[in-house]
Structures are given as C-alpha cells and as structure tokens.
Amino acid sequence: MTDAPLGINPTTVLAEWAKRVRANRDQAEAFREGEESPDFYAPVVARFKADPRRSGEANLDYLRSLVRPGERWLDIGAGAGRYALPLALAGARVTAIDPSPGMLSALSETAEEHGVSGVSVLEGRWPMDGGPPADVAFIAHVGYDIEEIGPFLDAMEASASRLCVAELLSESPATAFARLWPGVHGVERNLLPALPEFLALLLARGRLPSVWLSERPAGTFPDAETVARFARLQLFIQEGSEKDQKLRDEVLPAVLQPQADGSVMLQTHPVRLGVVTWDPRG
C-alpha cells in the first residue's frame, strides 16, 4: 500500500465511517416498530426490477464500456439484477451475490423473461468465505451502511485481478426519506456516508481512483402508496400504526409533488452519481 496523501490516516477514516454507520443503525433500532424482517427489501422488490436492454442511462453505458467480453465480474449486492443482467449482455460472465432471496428470485425471473444468460446467483453476505475470484469486483449503491467497510473492500480487492468498480451517490439513497423523520419521529435522521467519504477512504487506503461523474435527476414514484411502502421501510414503522397514520395523513401530503404524468416526486433536488474505478493491487 502506498502512503496516503497529506498524511490521511486510514484508521481515522475507517473509524469515522463506522461511527456514522452505527449512529444510523442505532437510531433505526431506537425507533423500530415490531421485529426486523429477515428480507428487508422483499416488500418493494418489484421497484428494483429493470429491463436489462434499457437505454438512456449514461452511467450504465459507462459500465458497459468497462466490460471486456468473457471476463468474470462479481456483482456484490446485485439485488434484482439491475446491473448484473446488462453487464452479462455486454459480454461479462457475472456472479450475482446478494443476501436477499426475494431480490435474487426477481433477478432470475427477469433473466428468464428477457432471455439473458451468463449470470449465476449466489445467496450470501459479503465478505464471504471462499468468495469466487473474478477479473472485476463491482458494487452499485452498496457500502453506505457497511460498518466494517475496510474488510469489505479488502475482500473485493482480493477477489479482483484487474479492476474494482463502485457506483455511489453523493448522498445515500435513504437520504431522500430522511426529510420525513422530523415529521414522523420528531428527530433529524443520522445520515450514512456516501460518495465523498468513499473517495476519502480509498485515498486513505493508498488507492488512486478514477471517477466518472454524472447527475441523477430527482426520482419519481408511480403513486403515493408506493412512496408510503418505501417510507415505512426507511422509517422502520409498521403499516397501520399510529406513526404510519401520521405519515399518510400529514407528512407525505405536505412533501409529495404531483407530476403531470400522474407520478409523484419526493426528492426535490438532483444528486451527483459517481462510478469509481481503481486498481485492486494498489
């Protein structure tokens, strides 16, 4: 490992990252209603399915450009295959790793529906014992809430022979729902680290990353009910509870912005999106 620039101490950066993740998690536990679901994203898995042949996403076009046909890619935290399937169509042999059975089931369904081959699925959390080797290790919107991010990245770099790739936002995806916390819980949300902190971490580890940047527009949802389903997950409240009623009757109506096509918008500003690449050998 090379020296970090300007004497940045990797231990300090790792400790600060872990501190922010713990604060976010502990706050969630303090306000959680009911028991934690073993498959967190199961209620909203359909939202993560996407056409693997879609166009018009500059970040996806850039990721496709990184593929060398026949290479092995690990998509760590692959979810429903939003990236694994397009990467396979671009010529990669992809192993999609995710702890969610619901997400991997959706991935397999989408692959069959669109006739995509070249993707194998592996249920589990990263890092994992005996993780498969690959030419490229890839994460997309994974890492924000990983407390032990150092060992996570160590395992990525140990598995990849050519390249490590990470797609992250300038603020974590859950930040869009953070504005609901004061109205529902009466407190500000403790936010997770995101792209700026990730870049600082890589530099502290002696890596010199390349960064491709674009802007992701504010997202829309098909209707208020879809927003409510996501909001309950991010607020850790149960459907039908007193706080859920408050969310529906007071908080969401005050912040949702109806769009001309009938959809609704929660997030009011675009965010920067970065695709970060670095040599796993340092």
Side-chain angles (χ1 to χ4, degrees):
M1 181 181 293
T2 58
D3 291 336
L6 297 179
I8 298 174
N9 188 321
T11 302
T12 301
V13 178
L14 286 169
E16 182 60 29
W17 182 291
K19 178 182 176 182
R20 290 182 60 172
V21 172
R22 282 196 303 273
N24 178 275
R25 183 188 64 231
D26 291 348
Q27 188 181 44
E29 291 306 315
F31 287 92
R32 183 186 301 279
E33 296 180 344
E35 297 295 322
E36 182 178 6
S37 169
D39 195 347
F40 182 79
Y41 287 106
V44 292
V45 67
R47 174 79 176 179
F48 294 90
K49 296 178 70 173
D51 183 350
R53 293 183 174 86
R54 66 191 181 277
S55 59
E57 294 183 19
N59 59 309
L60 181 54
D61 291 338
Y62 180 71
L63 289 170
R64 289 184 178 113
S65 76
L66 299 177
V67 174
R68 296 177 182 176
E71 273 193 326
R72 301 163 300 167
W73 278 58
L74 293 183
D75 185 350
I76 301 164
R82 183 175 185 85
Y83 294 103
L85 299 178
L87 290 170
L89 288 172
R93 293 179 292 139
V94 183
T95 299
I97 301 171
D98 201 276
S100 167
M103 284 290 196
L104 292 179
S105 177
L107 186 156
S108 297
E109 291 171 4
T110 305
E112 183 176 359
E113 178 185 348
H114 292 273
V116 181
S117 59
V119 179
S120 59
V121 300
L122 184 59
E123 184 181 332
R125 292 190 177 276
W126 191 266
M128 56 174 48
D129 292 335
D135 300 290
V136 181
F138 167 62
I139 56 173
H141 307 295
V142 172
Y144 306 105
D145 61 350
I146 303 298
E147 181 177 350
E148 297 296 329
I149 191 67
F152 186 99
L153 293 177
D154 288 342
M156 273 187 71
E157 293 174 347
S159 293
S161 62
R162 180 174 75 86
L163 194 66
C164 287
V165 184
E167 179 177 294
L168 295 163
L169 294 169
S170 57
E171 54 188 45
S172 74
T175 302
F177 292 91
R179 62 191 303 219
L180 307 179
W181 271 69
V184 174
H185 292 307
V187 298
E188 296 289 337
R189 182 64 163 128
N190 293 328
L191 300 178
L192 291 166
L195 177 62
E197 292 79 14
F198 189 80
L199 293 173
L201 177 58
L202 288 181
L203 290 171
R205 289 167 58 88
R207 304 296 186 254
L208 187 60
S210 296
V211 187
W212 178 94
L213 285 172
S214 68
E215 190 173 84
R216 190 169 86 166
T220 60
F221 294 82
D223 49 50
E225 179 55 37
T226 302
V227 180
R229 285 200 298 271
F230 271 87
R232 282 194 290 270
L233 287 176
Q234 297 298 339
L235 291 161
F236 304 91
I237 61 177
Q238 292 191 315
E239 185 174 8
S241 71
E242 183 177 337
K243 286 186 174 180
D244 180 45
Q245 197 67 42
K246 186 174 185 179
L247 171 72
R248 290 170 171 274
D249 294 347
E250 301 175 25
V251 178
L252 283 181
V255 298
L256 288 183
Q257 299 179 5
Q259 304 299 297
D261 62 358
S263 64
V264 293
M265 180 181 293
L266 173 63
Q267 182 178 314
T268 58
H269 63 279
V271 296
R272 302 303 298 273
L273 183 150
V275 179
V276 183
T277 58
W278 71 99
D279 189 329
R281 297 160 295 185

